[in-house]
Amino acid sequence: MAQAKKSTQSGLATGADAELAMGVRRFGRVNWLGLYTLALREVLRFTTVWTQTLLAPLITAGLFLTIFTLAIGPNRGDVMGVPFIHFLAPGILTMTVIQNAFTNTSSSLLVSKIQGNIVDTLMPPLSPLELVLGYMAGALARGLVVAIAIWAGMALAVGLGLVHPIYTLIFITLGALMLGGLGVIAGIVSQKFDQMAAITNFIITPLAFLSGTFYSVEGLPAWFRGITHFNPVFYLIDGVRYGIIGRSDSSPVLGLVIVGSVTFAILLACWVLFRRGTKLKS
């Protein structure tokens, strides 16, 4: 009888221990399966509608080049010692990449919140860092695919080269992560499409267009040039331009430091927002 009672108590203790351990992570420091699943979902979001997310940016970039070529004409002088069309192409490529990276994360979060299925992302045992990495995987993949497609098209159409491929890859990667992180922040703080449209129209678009995409900042008035140098997207586009044509308005090393620092700060802000559950768990 005493032995049976002892066994029963031992069983209850074991059950209690198992119940107390329900909140313990059982898969190590990183939930690789959960992270892979979230990253795969974010990648499939744009690959399943590739005509909208991949083909459309390629056509838009081609239209930009065509319009500027026709509007300015063949008499336009060289910029930075290269033909204007070669100067313009890296800016259009970078602008398209960052816009797509921003759209991938911001639309994913906002649509999930509006449809009410954001809980499917928050309930699985994913840490804030894993959530950030999962969303960034989708933004980075979309940015790189768009960049490769546009560069290949421009290489065939205008003979665009690749002077410093490592610099190009680094700056495009940082650009996709930077704007992907901004997309996460915008998707979290926005509660409806009108708020997202305001962020896009009044913050993202001006940052992209007023960053030397279509012009060299050396031709700007001194006060405007000074303002431009506070825009991190300027260093991003300038870095990609250096990687593709070997010309830039500023030091590519300085650009790496600034873009890398801004990207880290943005991703840190994403981690904090996911950790606090700001406008996600309420």
Side-chain angles (χ1 to χ4, degrees):
M1 179 68 70
Q3 184 68 28
K5 185 175 181 181
K6 184 177 181 180
S7 299
T8 302
Q9 290 176 345
S10 177
L12 290 173
T14 302
D17 291 341
E19 188 173 339
L20 289 174
M22 286 294 289
V24 177
R25 289 170 67 94
R26 301 167 184 268
F27 32 74
R29 292 182 178 274
V30 180
N31 181 359
W32 293 109
L33 178 60
L35 177 57
Y36 168 78
T37 304
L38 177 58
L40 180 62
R41 187 195 72 178
E42 291 303 298
V43 171
L44 291 177
R45 286 190 69 254
F46 72 86
T47 55
T48 52
V49 287
W50 64 271
T51 55
Q52 175 186 346
T53 58
L54 301 178
L55 182 60
L58 181 60
I59 294 175
T60 302
L63 288 174
F64 265 116
L65 282 177
T66 302
I67 291 171
F68 272 92
T69 301
L70 293 175
I72 296 175
N75 296 324
R76 176 67 164 86
D78 291 351
V79 180
M80 293 184 179
V82 299
F84 177 69
I85 196 70
H86 286 187
F87 169 85
L88 182 64
I92 293 176
L93 184 150
T94 310
M95 183 180 67
T96 308
V97 167
I98 63 178
Q99 287 176 342
N100 277 267
F102 176 84
T103 301
N104 204 71
T105 52
S106 61
S107 62
S108 178
L109 277 163
L110 183 59
V111 170
S112 294
K113 288 169 62 177
I114 291 177
Q115 292 180 345
N117 57 26
I118 187 66
V119 65
D120 295 335
T121 303
L122 299 178
M123 282 190 65
L126 290 168
S127 68
L129 179 59
E130 290 162 354
L131 289 172
V132 173
L133 293 177
Y135 280 105
M136 288 305 103
L140 179 58
R142 182 167 173 177
L144 290 176
V145 171
V146 167
I148 293 171
I150 293 177
W151 176 81
M154 291 179 175
L156 293 174
V158 300
L160 191 68
L162 200 61
V163 177
H164 303 291
I166 301 300
Y167 267 103
T168 306
L169 178 61
I170 293 174
F171 274 105
I172 288 177
T173 298
L174 289 175
L177 293 177
M178 179 196 298
L179 270 295
L182 285 178
V184 168
I185 296 173
I188 290 176
V189 302
S190 299
Q191 298 296 326
K192 51 187 179 180
F193 288 110
D194 290 347
Q195 294 173 343
M196 179 62 70
I199 294 174
T200 302
N201 293 331
F202 297 115
I203 298 178
I204 304 302
T205 300
L207 284 176
F209 277 79
L210 300 177
S211 57
T213 302
F214 307 104
Y215 52 84
S216 172
V217 297
E218 292 303 317
L220 297 175
W223 64 271
F224 199 175
R225 191 185 314 142
I227 293 175
T228 303
H229 281 87
F230 283 98
N231 181 0
V233 181
F234 158 72
Y235 297 97
L236 182 61
I237 291 176
D238 202 47
V240 174
R241 182 171 287 133
Y242 174 78
I244 293 178
I245 66 174
R247 303 287 195 278
S248 62
D249 280 312
S250 65
S251 167
V253 176
L254 175 63
L256 275 178
V257 172
I258 293 176
V259 172
S261 300
V262 172
T263 302
F264 176 79
I266 290 173
L267 296 182
L268 181 61
C270 295
W271 177 82
V272 171
L273 290 174
F274 276 125
R275 183 175 177 81
R276 293 180 178 178
T278 305
K279 295 191 177 182
L280 291 173
K281 298 179 182 180
S282 58

